[in-house]
Amino acid sequence: MQLHVIARGRLGRTPEADMVDRYARRIATGPLGALKVTELPDRGGTLPPPPAGALRTVVLDERGRQMGSGEFARVLERWRDDGVREARFLIGAADGHDDDLRARADVLLGFGPMTWPHMLARVMLVEQLWRATSIVSGHPYHREG
């Protein structure tokens, strides 16, 4: 399964970009599939065409469902086992996502009621993707408690 983060805004050469790259390298060898990151401008631009086969879309939204890391890992593992070709994770710009996109999402995912800058949300998401990968593979990175 391809884990595809599609984010509004460009990280450029920043500490946040370094962190995303670090987690992406870890994910590349994991049981959930490789990570791909696509950056779109703050406004405009189009989503990459969907792949052939099953697709799941996760929209990050402050009003979205909050789940623990274990639950998130189980969702991704189930999608992989069900033959999902790509899981897309959409991070919006400062104004978030429009109602139509939120309505079409398979999952609205929230990192709590606080608003996070898109740069930090991207790092947090990619870290959670790595954490899910480690949970599925039985790696000791994640500790329940």
Side-chain angles (χ1 to χ4, degrees), residues 54-72:
L55 170 72
R56 296 292 180 271
T57 302
V58 178
V59 171
L60 273 69
D61 187 279
E62 63 188 13
R63 295 159 290 187
R65 177 177 165 199
Q66 297 175 39
M67 60 178 87
S69 298
E71 181 183 2
F72 184 59

Side-chain angles (χ1 to χ4, degrees), residues 31-46:
L32 293 176
L35 177 74
K36 178 180 180 178
V37 177
T38 300
E39 293 183 328
L40 297 175
D42 286 339
R43 289 190 174 79
T46 58

Side-chain angles (χ1 to χ4, degrees), residues 56-113:
R56 296 292 180 271
T57 302
V58 178
V59 171
L60 273 69
D61 187 279
E62 63 188 13
R63 295 159 290 187
R65 177 177 165 199
Q66 297 175 39
M67 60 178 87
S69 298
E71 181 183 2
F72 184 59
R74 286 188 298 278
V75 167
L76 296 177
E77 184 177 33
R78 185 175 63 247
W79 288 351
R80 181 206 59 193
D81 294 348
D82 288 347
V84 170
R85 177 98 166 116
E86 180 175 291
R88 287 185 167 187
F89 301 87
L90 306 179
I91 300 173
D95 294 329
H97 300 285
D98 63 35
D99 291 337
D100 182 53
L101 182 61
R102 282 197 304 275
R104 290 180 305 171
D106 294 294
V107 175
L108 287 177
L109 179 64
F111 287 150

Side-chain angles (χ1 to χ4, degrees), residues 127-143:
E127 190 280 336
Q128 283 300 303
L129 291 170
W130 159 242
R131 187 175 294 274
T133 297
S134 72
I135 290 168
V136 170
S137 69
H139 188 281
Y141 178 77
H142 178 71
R143 295 177 195 86

Side-chain angles (χ1 to χ4, degrees), residues 9-46:
R10 307 224 184 265
L11 286 185
R13 299 180 75 172
T14 63
E16 294 86 1
D18 291 342
M19 292 179 78
V20 168
D21 290 343
R22 181 180 316 145
Y23 288 118
R25 284 192 302 275
R26 292 177 186 177
I27 291 168
T29 59
L32 293 176
L35 177 74
K36 178 180 180 178
V37 177
T38 300
E39 293 183 328
L40 297 175
D42 286 339
R43 289 190 174 79
T46 58

